[in-house]
Amino acid sequence: MLKSLEYQFTELSHQEDFQYLGRVFGTEVINNTIHVPAHMGTGSIKRVHLSDGLQVVKWDTCLHRPLELIKIKSLPGNDKIFTLTYSFSPVTFY
């Protein structure tokens, strides 16, 4: 089995966390978009600011390796953020 990529984050809506996701893929964020390098898969991950307090992160990817998303607890006193995740995927999350 291929070793999975690991991405630890507090909130994907934070610019620094999204920039770090780009580094996980070994690439830069350009125009709020991460283009998956060919050796890792295909597609892109785009962060869109819809209105004050509302952002969408659209994953349109097919990866050659599993990706572990590890959500780190926010520190007390930080803004409370609600995250809704929906997936159209041929494989299951576990």
Side-chain angles (χ1 to χ4, degrees):
M1 182 172 177
L2 292 172
K3 184 178 178 195
S4 64
L5 294 169
E6 185 178 289
Y7 171 56
Q8 296 184 16
F9 65 100
T10 305
E11 294 298 338
L12 269 177
S13 60
H14 293 166
Q15 181 65 26
E16 356 14 280
D17 285 346
F18 198 68
Q19 293 287 336
Y20 176 64
L21 179 58
R23 290 193 298 277
V24 168
F25 283 100
T27 190
E28 292 182 29
V29 175
I30 300 172
N31 295 326
N32 285 319
T33 304
I34 298 166
H35 295 281
V36 177
H39 70 278
M40 299 181 94
T42 60
S44 63
I45 304 165
K46 183 168 183 76
R47 193 173 73 144
V48 180
H49 179 80
L50 298 176
S51 66
D52 193 26
L54 180 61
Q55 294 183 13
V56 172
V57 179
K58 179 185 174 200
W59 297 64
D60 183 12
T61 61
C62 183
L63 304 175
H64 299 316
R65 299 173 19 186
L67 173 64
E68 285 186 61
L69 300 172
I70 302 168
K71 170 79 170 76
I72 299 170
K73 181 179 176 181
S74 296
L75 296 174
N78 285 354
D79 291 338
K80 295 198 181 291
I81 296 176
F82 173 76
T83 302
L84 175 65
T85 304
Y86 193 84
S87 172
F88 292 108
S89 176
V91 294
T92 354
F93 286 90
Y94 55 93

